[in-house]
Amino acid sequence: MNKVPLLLSIICFVIYRLLLYFTHNIGLSLLIFLVPIGLLVFNLSVRKRLSYSNWFLSSRNFLHERRTHSSESELDTELLYAKLLEVFENLEFDLLDHDENKLKMLLGTSTNFLTWGENIYIQIAPSSNGSMIEFTSVTLFGNTSWKRNDKNFDSFIESFESSLIV
């Protein structure tokens, strides 16, 4: 559980209350909320681009909770990439961006009452037995994923395996 966004929100609220108490100026006091709101707006505006994956996947980014799973497949990388694109048409995730040259994909869930959305990064790499799939689910600006990151992986694997059955 990532507690940093919650702590940041609490700290901003305490600073807001202190500024309001000492200055009696609500406009000046509300300026403190520009920091978390700005981070949230930034996350929501760049989340649909694969080029910003370093921001969301960085271990130094303490605002996101992430979970990574790896899985091997006997399929070669190009065939696996094509198969995954086919599978994503039937998932609850939206294909937001992909790069066929780097064998990377970005999927996402929608923003709703319970979440700001999750980004799902998939990287395919060759391995000795065929291909390696690295699946990373990132919860945007939240103190807990409520196990959505793990559920995203389970849903992905279930859909992928069922697509292989003929």
Side-chain angles (χ1 to χ4, degrees), residues 4-17 32-33:
V4 175
L6 178 63
L7 292 174
L8 179 65
S9 300
I10 291 170
I11 289 168
C12 285
F13 180 74
V14 169
I15 293 172
Y16 159 75
R17 295 298 294 175
I32 193 66
F33 289 109

Side-chain angles (χ1 to χ4, degrees), residues 50 81 97-106:
L50 197 54
Y81 185 84
D97 198 4
H98 63 95
D99 186 345
E100 194 169 342
N101 296 329
K102 295 181 181 178
L103 299 174
K104 291 184 177 185
M105 298 175 200
L106 169 60

Side-chain angles (χ1 to χ4, degrees), residues 9-153:
S9 300
I10 291 170
I11 289 168
C12 285
F13 180 74
V14 169
I15 293 172
Y16 159 75
R17 295 298 294 175
L18 287 171
L19 281 172
L20 186 61
Y21 178 77
F22 288 118
T23 65
H24 304 291
N25 184 342
I26 194 165
L28 178 66
S29 302
L30 286 174
L31 286 177
I32 193 66
F33 289 109
L34 288 179
V35 172
I37 290 171
L39 286 169
L40 180 60
V41 167
F42 175 76
N43 281 331
L44 291 175
S45 65
V46 301
R47 74 174 283 229
K48 295 183 178 183
R49 297 186 190 120
L50 197 54
S51 58
Y52 286 97
S53 63
N54 290 338
W55 163 254
F56 292 102
L57 297 176
S58 172
S59 61
R60 289 175 277 173
N61 188 336
F62 51 84
L63 297 172
H64 303 117
E65 184 174 328
R66 68 194 63 72
R67 182 85 64 215
T68 301
H69 299 278
S70 295
S71 181
E72 284 202 42
S73 174
E74 295 176 357
L75 302 174
D76 71 340
T77 55
E78 289 79 20
L79 182 60
L80 181 61
Y81 185 84
K83 185 64 178 170
L84 286 176
L85 285 176
E86 179 184 311
V87 168
F88 295 146
E89 294 175 6
N90 301 323
L91 285 175
E92 71 265 17
F93 311 124
D94 297 325
L95 181 63
L96 303 175
D97 198 4
H98 63 95
D99 186 345
E100 194 169 342
N101 296 329
K102 295 181 181 178
L103 299 174
K104 291 184 177 185
M105 298 175 200
L106 169 60
L107 299 126
T109 61
S110 61
T111 303
N112 59 42
F113 180 71
L114 299 174
T115 178
W116 292 111
E118 293 91 41
N119 277 6
I120 298 149
Y121 296 93
I122 296 177
Q123 170 70 53
I124 301 171
S127 72
S128 59
N129 295 342
S131 302
M132 175 67 75
I133 305 170
E134 185 173 291
F135 178 95
T136 305
S137 182
V138 179
T139 305
L140 304 178
F141 200 72
N143 62 323
T144 183
S145 70
W146 301 99
K147 297 189 179 183
R148 282 188 303 274
N149 287 335
D150 291 324
K151 289 177 187 173
N152 289 340
F153 177 70

